[in-house]
């Protein structure tokens, strides 16, 4: 009887010792800085993160044009389809390089080799519907390495009925955050698998249009289009066609075609675009084409142009 008790006690002691050693080993493998031949612990998040493609080698022309301390600002005459009618307005594209913090995903105040260099695209539209104005802004932060999706995309829409805001953060998945004044849109937070986004193509085009995707693709439409048309925030099928001076997306199930016209020579300046889709509701539904036609382009460190004397630059851009 005594021997049996001793055996049980021995088993319990052995299990306790093995558990202790195992716990210590796990702790050491996560925190110790000493050299070890054991394989490192890899989290599930690390496992599902795909390796990046090789970085695009930036040309001398690219560096001289985009890293001279100035932004490129282009104004456009806008004919915007909304509520079954064409509205006259203005559009502006601002392209500028920045250092971006990859973790918290905001502009870096100081240089660090850990930063991600991005080409930022600020796209604004202003137009009037009847008595009240619309103001739309989309911001896309796309790595100049041209080897991954945009790190961050934001879109805001303001008009007298209310305002909406959408943000995409590129982490292990795409993290989507939306805020809206309207009940059927409300406040939402969700994730989707990473996919090509229409917003990032505008920056990708400026780096090297030959790298634009062609053929049948799955792509998330522009966040402006998603917001204004209550489209599901997910990839949709489209046919992408590239010519020397234009890039076209034809969406299979959205009754929508986008054509971007650009210069075939560096810096591949965007000359305008056309977006054909249905607009309006009920009996007022029509197929209309939004058009943007280039007015002027300037290079400027606009963030330093805050004086009233700098307003002449708006005249140069032919902006009201």
């Amino acid at each position: 009887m005594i021997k049996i008790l001793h055996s049980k006690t021995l088993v319990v002691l052995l299990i306790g010792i093995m558990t202790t050693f195992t716990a210590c080993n796990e702790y050491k493998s996560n925190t110790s800085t000493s050299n070890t031949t054991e394989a490192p612990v890899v989290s599930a998040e690390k496992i599902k993160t795909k390796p990046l493609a090789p970085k695009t080698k930036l040309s001398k022309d690219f560096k001289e044009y985009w890293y001279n301390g100035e932004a490129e600002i282009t104004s456009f005459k806008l004919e915007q389809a909304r509520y079954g009618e064409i509205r006259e307005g203005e559009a502006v594209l601002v392209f500028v390089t920045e250092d971006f913090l990859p973790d918290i995903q905001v502009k870096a105040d100081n240089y660090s080799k850990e930063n991600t260099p991005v080409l930022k695209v600020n796209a604004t539209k202003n137009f009037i519907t009847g008595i009240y104005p619309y103001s739309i802004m989309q911001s896309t932060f796309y790595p100049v390495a041209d080897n991954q999706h945009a790190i961050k995309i934001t879109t805001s829409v303001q008009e007298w009925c209310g305002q909406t805001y959408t943000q995409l953060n590129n982490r292990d998945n795409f993290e989507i955050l939306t805020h809206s004044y309207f009940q059927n849109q409300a406040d939402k937070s969700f994730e989707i698998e990473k996919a090509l986004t229409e917003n990032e193509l505008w920056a990708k085009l400026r780096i090297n249009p030959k790298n634009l995707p062609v053929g049948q693709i799955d792509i998330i439409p522009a966040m402006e289009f998603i917001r204004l048309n209550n489209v599901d925030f997910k990839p949709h099928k489209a046919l992408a066609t590239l010519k020397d001076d234009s890039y076209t997306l034809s969406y299979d199930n959205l009754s929508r075609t986008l054509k971007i016209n650009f210069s075939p020579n560096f810096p591949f300046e965007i000359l305008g675009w056309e977006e054909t889709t249905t607009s309006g509701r009920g009996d007022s539904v029509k197929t209309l084409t939004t058009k943007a036609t280039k007015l002027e382009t300037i290079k400027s460190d606009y963030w330093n142009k805050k004086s009233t004397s700098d307003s002449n630059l708006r005249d140069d851009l032919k902006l009201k």
Side-chain angles (χ1 to χ4, degrees), residues 221-231 254 256 275 277:
M223 284 180 19
E224 170 198 330
F225 177 80
I226 290 175
R227 175 57 71 183
L228 293 182
N229 296 277
N230 294 323
V231 173
L254 297 179
R256 177 174 179 256
E275 179 187 11
T277 188

Side-chain angles (χ1 to χ4, degrees), residues 21-230:
F21 280 141
T22 302
C24 290
N25 284 339
E26 287 178 349
Y27 176 79
K28 288 180 180 179
S29 66
N30 284 328
T31 60
S32 175
T33 57
S34 61
N35 293 330
T36 178
T37 58
E38 294 180 356
V41 174
V42 181
S43 66
E45 288 77 13
K46 294 290 185 181
I47 292 174
K48 69 178 181 180
T49 299
K50 295 181 180 179
L52 298 179
K55 294 182 179 180
T56 294
K57 184 177 181 180
L58 302 178
S59 67
K60 179 181 178 182
D61 288 341
F62 183 95
K63 294 176 182 178
E64 290 179 350
Y65 187 82
W66 290 111
Y67 289 104
N68 66 348
E70 294 180 323
E72 179 199 86
I73 308 169
T74 304
S75 57
F76 298 85
K77 175 186 175 182
L78 179 65
E79 300 169 69
Q80 177 70 41
R82 189 65 175 155
Y83 302 128
E85 296 182 85
I86 297 294
R87 322 289 178 155
E88 293 187 358
E90 299 173 333
V92 175
L93 291 180
V94 180
F95 288 86
V96 63
T97 51
E98 290 181 346
D99 266 10
F100 212 62
L101 296 174
D103 294 328
I104 61 175
Q105 299 188 351
V106 295
K107 181 181 181 296
D109 289 333
N110 301 293
Y111 170 79
S112 168
K113 65 179 182 179
E114 302 301 323
N115 296 342
T116 300
V118 301
L119 181 60
K120 179 176 72 174
V121 188
N122 281 339
T124 67
K125 288 181 175 180
N126 292 276
F127 55 93
I128 305 293
T129 56
I131 189 176
Y132 64 93
Y134 259 83
S135 178
I136 302 173
M137 182 171 181
Q138 300 184 93
S139 295
T140 304
F141 304 85
Y142 184 72
V144 298
D146 197 18
N147 64 345
Q148 60 176 302
H149 297 302
I151 298 178
K152 184 177 182 178
I153 305 171
T154 64
T155 299
S156 60
V157 180
Q158 301 87 36
E159 40 99 357
W160 284 4
C161 293
Q163 55 186 312
T164 65
Y165 178 80
T166 305
Q167 178 169 306
L168 178 154
N169 290 91
N170 180 353
R171 295 195 170 96
D172 293 315
N173 289 311
F174 279 169
E175 299 176 1
I176 316 298
L177 178 68
T178 69
H179 295 290
S180 176
Y181 165 83
F182 303 99
Q183 178 183 350
N184 65 336
Q185 298 172 352
D187 297 341
K188 299 177 182 178
S189 178
F190 57 95
E191 295 186 7
I192 62 173
E193 291 186 5
K194 295 182 184 182
L196 186 68
T197 69
E198 184 180 310
N199 287 79
E200 70 194 50
L201 296 182
W202 296 76
K204 193 175 182 69
L205 186 158
R206 301 304 306 275
I207 297 171
N208 185 356
K210 292 182 179 179
N211 287 340
L212 289 167
V214 295
Q216 289 287 345
I217 60 175
D218 292 323
I219 182 170
I220 299 171
M223 284 180 19
E224 170 198 330
F225 177 80
I226 290 175
R227 175 57 71 183
L228 293 182
N229 296 277
N230 294 323

Side-chain angles (χ1 to χ4, degrees), residues 234-261:
K234 66 178 185 180
H236 295 259
K237 293 191 179 299
L239 176 64
T241 306
L242 177 64
K243 296 183 179 180
D244 289 339
D245 59 356
S246 68
Y247 183 69
T248 302
L249 291 173
S250 298
Y251 287 86
D252 293 351
N253 300 318
L254 297 179
S255 300
R256 177 174 179 256
T257 299
L258 173 69
K259 181 182 179 183
I260 306 173
N261 300 310

